[in-house]
Amino acid sequence: MKAIGWSFGMQSRAASRVGAAPDIGGLAEAARKAGIEEAIIFGKDHTGFCFYPTKIGIPHPKLQIDLTGEMTRELHAHGIRVLSYLNFGMDGESGRKHHEWLHQSEPDKVLLTADHYANICPYSPYTEQLLLPLMREMLKLYSVDGFFLDTMSAFNVCYCRYCRKEFKKAYNQEIPVDRDDPGWKIHGLYHGQRCEALMIRIRKYIKDLSPEATVIFNHIGGPVWPVWTPGVVSCDPPASFPWISLYANFLSAGPETGDVFIERFQRGWGDRGGVTDLTLEYKAAAIFAHNQRFFAGDRLHPEARFAPGSLRTMNQLTGIWKKMNRLMPPPDVSRTPDILVLYDDEKMFGPANKFFGASQFGRRWQPVIGSQLLLTDAGCNFLQTPEMHLESWLSPDRLLILPEVRFLNAETDLLVRGFISRGGKVLVTGKIPRFSDNSVPDWLGIDKVEDSVYQDCVYLPSWKHWNDDELTLVYGDIHRFYPGTARPLLYCFSQYDLTPMGAGPNSAASEPDGHPLLTVNNYGKGKVFYLNAPVFSDYPANSDQQRIWFNGLLRKIFPEAQYSLDSKSGCVELVSYSAGKTSWHVLVNHGGIKASPYSSAITVVEPQPVFPVTLNIKSDKPLKSIEINGAITEIQCRGKVNSIPVTMDSVWKIIRIET
């Protein structure tokens, strides 16, 4: 596995003195010594400047060396593959010279600055007249090994004259503007297919010129754009908890190693100011635990030399990987998650693909972030899998969770239906998924769902006794539904007398109100549980009470989990692998790092809090040996459930077990 890649970044302005005091040989030699096998250099940035004497594009006005060419030659001479960066969705110079190429987020609304970036529509002549010729030119001049195409806003809905003309020709109607327009369903499907066709065409163009070339469309295939794409998937998350783990987890569901591209270490692009050694180790461990590649976005100095600290960071990342890699399973050993979390297409496409490419984030990310947080804190061994990779992970011994999934397509429904029939278990939380005709999957065993909100919160009953004034509170819309073949297991506790208070929810009623909270439906050999509470979207509040309640739920509905962690405080991520009689368990310590999930500025300062946890292993055979970070322990485990105490006094631990 190629564990670390390096991006020698160079976003610029016209005033930048590019190549004024170069040390390109030093860069390449340092990268070779650090074990870097692949690098990204800049061909064209978001301002629209090229970093070589192009005859097609616009050379940077203060370019003093052939930066693209010299870096490619030196890196190649040191045995390092080179990908050329081209900003695909932004080009300020093109936008200022060709207003007709500008992307329009709304009719006649463009993003164009006086001397910086502009959003460009790839369906305008921009692709044919500039982008493709530039790639041909770089392949011919420098034999680069591929291209990193930064998509930015390229695939968002566009109202430029070219996009309007194409849609009008195809469907004899205008691109809808009003979000309630039924034409969105037609345009959404059309636009999604159009985006895929463009990527296929660009990739073919490059492959015809250079069959071995790597082609990366940044973000495409990752959590922001969960669509199929051939080859490597690269995406850049905020460099903080829980985003790095979420992205690495998601990418590990795919057939190839993905790139977690960290460019915002602290506040600015490539800024590592204030990043302690421990901070860097923490960010790296969250990626390496999932066997994904850390692609570091570096702030290469415009003079074409390393910025201070780059060399040290490069060597430190290599050192972290070497320490972890000697304890990690071989590359061909697969993840063995007990729980699958369905990352549904609606995060990008909207119901029935209505809003492909439109802004679909905000509250739709809440159950995604919440599932990463809650399942980590609950000590679960889980995998975030998009619909496009779901089939390869479905086996009847696993629990599939649908975290507030609003929409299912027919293909996914068939997969889920078959999974349950063969003996799998499904937990649906919050929203009841619908099909494009608004019907409900029959495997839920639910006859009817009311669209109106019944309550804006719900109290969860205690697992120990029923009458408790301090029941667990979960915020979010609660809808009435009517079970058909599903059997109620628990009932809701509503607000006292169903009376909301102005300052927040009223006290819990003393008795359940007869409305189902948890149901189970037998379907084939499997079971489907529905929890009528948005436990994931509400969890970013990090309620310890919610975590304990959810842990109790999992123990009752899914006692078959093979691997799990017990921890009074949560905070420790579990990633498990197994092959034959050997299993590996990577633990990442998130303790003391629970900053806002919407910030990149995380700093881990020693000493970290020490978290004692217990790794639980179910095995019909006695455990013959246990190693923790390479050291053999004297723990004797002979039962069917083996409990292994682990002291999380470091950023990561790797436990290897032989049966």
Side-chain angles (χ1 to χ4, degrees):
M1 171 186 167
K2 298 175 182 177
I4 302 166
W6 205 263
S7 173
F8 295 93
M10 183 66 82
Q11 304 284 12
S12 76
R13 301 292 290 271
S16 301
R17 293 175 292 110
V18 179
D23 182 22
I24 295 174
L27 295 178
E29 178 61 15
R32 182 194 67 79
K33 287 182 177 179
I36 303 299
E37 296 178 284
E38 189 166 87
I40 296 173
I41 65 169
F42 265 49
K44 179 182 77 69
D45 71 0
H46 65 311
T47 304
F49 294 132
C50 294
F51 296 90
Y52 66 99
T54 174
K55 295 180 180 179
I56 295 168
I58 300 174
H60 193 285
K62 292 194 174 182
L63 186 69
Q64 300 186 38
I65 60 171
D66 179 356
L67 183 66
T68 305
E70 290 193 27
M71 289 198 71
T72 301
R73 285 187 287 270
E74 281 289 344
L75 290 167
H76 276 168
H78 287 77
I80 299 171
R81 296 184 81 247
V82 175
L83 305 182
S84 180
Y85 174 102
L86 281 87
N87 199 300
F88 182 42
M90 288 181 175
D91 189 318
E93 290 295 298
S94 291
R96 286 183 281 276
K97 290 178 172 58
H98 300 276
H99 286 197
E100 71 277 12
W101 292 3
L102 289 170
H103 174 275
Q104 295 186 16
S105 57
E106 298 174 18
D108 299 319
K109 181 179 179 180
V110 299
L111 176 61
L112 178 65
T113 58
D115 65 346
H116 202 192
Y117 52 81
N119 284 346
I120 297 292
C121 176
Y123 304 101
S124 72
Y126 160 78
T127 297
E128 295 292 338
Q129 294 183 19
L130 181 64
L131 188 72
L132 296 181
L134 278 177
M135 290 190 284
R136 176 185 286 272
E137 184 179 53
M138 279 184 271
L139 283 169
K140 182 178 180 180
L141 288 174
Y142 309 122
S143 299
V144 294
D145 300 293
F147 297 94
F148 181 95
L149 300 170
D150 211 351
T151 58
M152 310 299 276
S153 61
F155 292 134
N156 286 354
V157 172
C158 179
Y159 294 87
C160 76
R161 75 187 196 194
Y162 301 102
C163 290
R164 287 188 283 109
K165 181 180 179 181
E166 284 187 25
F167 188 63
K168 182 78 171 179
K169 180 179 178 181
Y171 291 96
N172 195 31
Q173 59 180 279
E174 298 296 327
I175 300 174
V177 178
D178 187 341
R179 295 185 66 83
D180 295 324
D181 192 320
W184 273 115
K185 184 172 182 179
I186 297 172
H187 184 268
L189 291 169
Y190 157 83
H191 188 48
Q193 294 166 357
R194 185 183 185 217
C195 293
E196 183 178 5
L198 180 60
M199 286 189 290
I200 290 172
R201 183 162 65 89
I202 291 173
R203 188 172 188 273
K204 183 179 184 305
Y205 179 88
I206 297 169
K207 290 287 189 177
D208 285 346
L209 295 171
S210 178
E212 301 302 317
T214 297
V215 184
I216 296 175
F217 291 90
N218 192 25
H219 289 297
I220 306 301
V224 176
W225 290 82
V227 297
W228 178 85
T229 182
V232 176
V233 175
S234 178
C235 49
D236 50 336
S240 59
F241 178 78
W243 294 96
I244 303 176
S245 291
L246 169 65
Y247 275 53
N249 192 326
F250 179 101
L251 291 179
S252 69
E256 296 190 44
T257 299
D259 292 338
V260 182
F261 195 121
I262 295 185
E263 56 185 353
R264 290 165 290 174
F265 288 87
Q266 285 287 83
R267 292 169 294 176
W269 193 92
D271 172 37
R272 292 185 304 277
V275 175
T276 65
D277 291 353
L278 200 57
T279 305
L280 200 60
E281 183 171 6
Y282 167 66
K283 295 176 190 292
I287 297 170
F288 297 154
H290 296 275
N291 249 329
Q292 302 306 294
R293 181 163 65 165
F294 191 141
F295 221 110
D298 189 30
R299 49 177 178 177
L300 179 66
H301 198 282
E303 293 184 345
R305 56 179 173 79
F306 267 143
S310 295
L311 180 59
R312 185 173 182 276
T313 299
M314 184 181 285
N315 286 313
Q316 187 181 1
L317 287 175
T318 301
I320 295 166
W321 168 246
K322 287 179 178 178
K323 288 179 183 178
M324 292 188 70
N325 188 46
R326 68 183 180 85
L327 302 170
M328 291 283 287
D332 59 343
V333 173
S334 299
R335 289 277 303 272
T336 49
D338 291 297
I339 296 174
L340 307 175
V341 183
L342 181 64
Y343 192 106
D344 61 292
D345 288 349
E346 189 206 6
K347 298 298 180 291
M348 186 63 223
F349 304 107
N353 290 349
K354 283 175 64 176
F355 297 111
F356 182 90
S359 178
Q360 291 296 302
F361 307 120
R363 65 185 179 87
R364 290 194 176 174
W365 275 93
Q366 289 179 334
V368 176
I369 296 299
S371 64
Q372 184 71 29
L373 289 166
L374 180 51
L375 290 168
T376 295
D377 283 351
C380 298
N381 170 34
F382 67 98
L383 176 75
Q384 297 266 8
T385 176
E387 292 188 49
M388 60 185 167
H389 299 318
L390 177 62
E391 184 175 12
S392 61
W393 294 99
L394 286 175
S395 61
D397 58 334
R398 290 173 173 155
L399 172 68
L400 172 63
I401 296 180
L402 275 60
E404 297 162 55
V405 172
R406 296 167 179 262
F407 171 76
L408 282 179
N409 60 45
E411 293 80 6
T412 300
D413 173 60
L414 283 175
L415 291 175
V416 175
R417 184 184 303 271
F419 167 71
I420 305 166
S421 298
R422 295 190 302 273
K425 289 183 176 180
V426 173
L427 171 63
V428 179
T429 67
K431 300 296 181 184
I432 293 177
R434 309 289 186 99
F435 297 125
S436 57
D437 63 359
N438 209 38
S439 62
V440 175
D442 61 351
W443 37 263
L444 276 164
I446 292 172
D447 281 350
K448 181 183 176 183
V449 183
E450 292 185 358
D451 292 330
S452 59
V453 176
Y454 164 61
Q455 286 273 286
D456 60 3
C457 67
V458 66
Y459 288 89
L460 309 176
S462 169
W463 292 114
K464 295 182 179 180
H465 49 85
W466 287 96
N467 296 314
D468 185 350
D469 290 334
E470 298 299 332
L471 297 179
T472 302
L473 173 64
V474 177
Y475 276 106
D477 293 345
I478 309 300
H479 296 264
R480 282 192 177 275
F481 72 97
Y482 302 91
T485 56
R487 176 170 53 92
L489 299 177
L490 295 174
Y491 292 89
C492 293
F493 277 73
S494 299
Q495 298 178 67
Y496 185 75
D497 288 338
L498 298 177
T499 307
M501 300 287 286
N506 204 339
S507 301
S510 58
E511 298 290 338
D513 63 8
H515 187 58
L517 173 71
L518 179 68
T519 62
V520 60
N521 187 50
N522 295 321
Y523 189 89
K525 296 180 181 179
K527 293 182 178 180
V528 181
F529 298 89
Y530 173 59
L531 177 64
N532 188 23
V535 290
F536 293 117
S537 61
D538 191 48
Y539 188 68
N542 293 329
S543 163
D544 193 54
Q545 191 181 35
Q546 289 179 354
R547 176 181 66 85
I548 293 170
W549 191 93
F550 185 74
N551 239 331
L553 173 68
L554 289 180
R555 285 197 297 269
K556 290 179 182 298
I557 71 171
F558 187 55
E560 299 89 351
Q562 190 173 5
Y563 308 125
S564 64
L565 280 179
D566 288 336
S567 170
K568 289 184 178 180
S569 54
C571 305
V572 179
E573 183 176 5
L574 169 63
V575 185
S576 295
Y577 303 80
S578 66
K581 297 180 180 180
T582 309
S583 64
W584 295 260
H585 309 275
V586 189
L587 277 57
V588 181
N589 188 354
H590 297 292
I593 310 169
K594 283 192 173 180
S596 166
Y598 306 103
S599 169
S600 287
I602 276 184
T603 299
V604 186
V605 180
E606 292 183 292
Q608 268 196 292
V610 176
F611 291 93
V613 300
T614 302
L615 175 63
N616 301 310
I617 308 288
K618 287 190 176 178
S619 175
D620 293 330
K621 299 177 181 179
L623 307 188
K624 293 182 179 179
S625 69
I626 304 169
E627 294 181 7
I628 300 179
N629 278 13
I632 298 176
T633 72
E634 300 300 323
I635 302 167
Q636 298 295 318
C637 296
R638 299 186 181 279
K640 288 190 175 181
V641 178
N642 302 282
S643 298
I644 303 167
V646 182
T647 301
M648 292 302 299
D649 54 0
S650 59
V651 170
W652 53 270
K653 298 277 188 179
I654 298 177
I655 298 95
R656 173 177 171 145
I657 297 172
E658 299 281 349
T659 58

